Amino acid sequence: MPENRKYLSYMSDEKLLDAIEKLYRSYQKAFASKTLKDLNKNIIDPFKFQFDTEFLHGGHPEETLRSEIFRQSDKTIANAIGLFHQQLLGSIDGFEESPTLPCDVRKTDDTIFAEVKNKYNTMNVRSAAGVYDELAGLAKSYPKAMCYLVEIIAKKSTDEVWSITINEKKQSHQRIHKISADRFYALATGRKNAFEELRQALPQAIHDFLNTQAKEASLANDNSSLGAFDELTETSAAYGTSMTETIYRLALSDYYKGD
């Protein structure tokens, strides 16, 4: 086992901490201070805003705005976490991320190729067919290689031939498998509990990373919604309306309101 590894035997501390840092930067960017204009680019649903404010947040629109920021940032964060898992798999000893091949991760001896998905339900039929075709191309080009669709959050622990229906025709290949993260980590590292070891190591690694930050690193109490809240307050005062009514005005400004 490599020496001086604090967290995992099959991955350097530097690579694990780098993956955590990149994910943290993605969180910072996603939850950076936003203006009211930023939030309303996709038009805030004013009805939901009103109900959320009254039903969930005790009549406090600032909390509703904070929730809206989280909602709008959710897809960005989900994508960032997917890249985090891809980077981790590419950091396992003997593996690397694969920017030049139609897959996310490869074993450096070209015997394993993998496409990584964060959750089992992240692909629709068309995107699944595209991934399968790419893996099928790799299986053809590398006759000794195994090709995997890796699901970090799978329905169950599995390693099975991936069967898929494309244009109403069922297709499968003995060297193209769908595999859960626990099975893939075990395969890649030769350690049956490698994925659990990662899960157990993450809290300490995250804690150590946060302790290296020059300022308070936690985003839990970030006031990223306050800029938008101040703007909403000023706009409401200018209109002479409540904050919720201002959200309605912003969302439905072009709607017919009668003579």
Side-chain angles (χ1 to χ4, degrees), residues 201-217:
L202 272 178
Q204 185 63 53
I206 293 169
H207 177 77
D208 291 347
F209 164 72
L210 293 178
N211 280 342
T212 67
Q213 302 305 294
K215 61 181 180 179
E216 175 59 41

Side-chain angles (χ1 to χ4, degrees), residues 22 83 86-87 90-91 95-99 103-106:
K22 286 182 179 177
L83 292 174
Q86 177 180 318
Q87 184 177 351
S91 298
F95 284 76
E96 65 181 12
E97 292 184 82
S98 180
C103 63
D104 292 327
V105 174
R106 62 181 283 269

Side-chain angles (χ1 to χ4, degrees), residues 52 85 191 193:
D52 284 356
H85 285 298
R191 299 178 64 84
N193 296 322

Side-chain angles (χ1 to χ4, degrees), residues 9-11 88-96 105-109 111-114 146 148 150 159 179-195:
S9 63
Y10 54 83
M11 182 185 304
L88 285 187
L89 288 175
S91 298
I92 294 172
D93 292 339
F95 284 76
E96 65 181 12
V105 174
R106 62 181 283 269
K107 193 172 183 181
T108 54
D109 64 3
T111 58
I112 294 177
F113 300 100
M146 289 294 298
Y148 293 94
V150 182
D159 180 0
I179 189 170
S180 55
D182 61 325
R183 301 290 186 100
F184 189 82
Y185 268 85
L187 172 73
T189 66
R191 299 178 64 84
K192 183 177 181 180
N193 296 322
F195 187 69

Side-chain angles (χ1 to χ4, degrees), residues 52-62 64:
D52 284 356
T53 296
E54 300 302 331
F55 293 171
L56 299 178
H57 301 129
H60 299 291
E62 178 185 342
T64 309

Side-chain angles (χ1 to χ4, degrees), residues 3-198:
E3 295 181 359
N4 300 320
R5 291 191 173 184
K6 177 178 180 180
Y7 306 113
L8 296 166
S9 63
Y10 54 83
M11 182 185 304
S12 72
D13 294 350
E14 291 75 16
K15 288 184 177 180
L16 177 58
L17 292 172
D18 181 64
I20 291 171
E21 180 175 6
K22 286 182 179 177
L23 181 57
Y24 174 71
R25 301 305 173 201
S26 295
Y27 267 82
Q28 277 190 316
K29 185 176 181 180
F31 292 106
S33 181
K34 296 182 184 297
T35 66
L36 189 57
K37 183 178 180 180
D38 291 334
L39 289 181
N40 207 44
K41 281 181 180 178
N42 295 319
I43 303 181
I44 297 172
D45 182 339
F47 295 95
K48 185 176 186 300
F49 187 92
Q50 182 172 34
F51 290 129
D52 284 356
T53 296
E54 300 302 331
F55 293 171
L56 299 178
H57 301 129
H60 299 291
E62 178 185 342
E63 293 305 313
T64 309
L65 273 182
R66 189 186 297 276
S67 294
E68 180 66 17
I69 289 174
F70 274 84
R71 186 194 68 79
Q72 291 193 17
S73 300
D74 187 64
K75 185 175 181 180
T76 299
I77 294 302
N79 289 338
I81 290 175
L83 292 174
F84 168 77
H85 285 298
Q86 177 180 318
Q87 184 177 351
L88 285 187
L89 288 175
S91 298
I92 294 172
D93 292 339
F95 284 76
E96 65 181 12
E97 292 184 82
S98 180
T100 60
L101 292 173
C103 63
D104 292 327
V105 174
R106 62 181 283 269
K107 193 172 183 181
T108 54
D109 64 3
D110 290 330
T111 58
I112 294 177
F113 300 100
E115 183 73 12
V116 184
K117 298 298 177 185
N118 192 38
K119 197 173 181 181
Y120 66 88
N121 60 354
T122 56
M123 292 190 297
N124 59 28
V125 174
R126 178 174 294 182
S127 60
V131 170
Y132 183 89
D133 284 343
E134 289 177 345
L135 293 179
L138 288 168
K140 182 178 180 180
S141 298
Y142 298 87
K144 296 183 179 180
M146 289 294 298
C147 301
Y148 293 94
L149 170 65
V150 182
E151 294 176 335
I152 303 300
I153 309 298
K155 286 186 176 181
K156 62 179 182 179
S157 178
T158 187
D159 180 0
E160 61 186 10
V161 173
W162 184 17
S163 296
I164 185 172
T165 300
I166 301 176
N167 297 326
E168 300 184 353
K169 182 179 179 181
K170 190 173 183 179
Q171 297 188 32
S172 64
H173 191 296
Q174 289 301 309
R175 288 188 289 109
I176 301 176
H177 281 214
K178 181 186 293 186
I179 189 170
S180 55
D182 61 325
R183 301 290 186 100
F184 189 82
Y185 268 85
L187 172 73
T189 66
R191 299 178 64 84
K192 183 177 181 180
N193 296 322
F195 187 69
E196 177 64 14
E197 291 170 10
L198 170 65

Side-chain angles (χ1 to χ4, degrees), residues 40 43-51 232 239 242-255 257:
N40 207 44
I43 303 181
I44 297 172
D45 182 339
F47 295 95
K48 185 176 186 300
F49 187 92
Q50 182 172 34
F51 290 129
L232 183 58
Y239 286 159
S242 69
M243 292 184 180
T244 299
E245 179 62 24
T246 300
I247 293 293
Y248 274 103
R249 286 191 174 216
L250 292 172
L252 309 177
S253 59
D254 292 334
Y255 273 37
K257 298 178 178 63

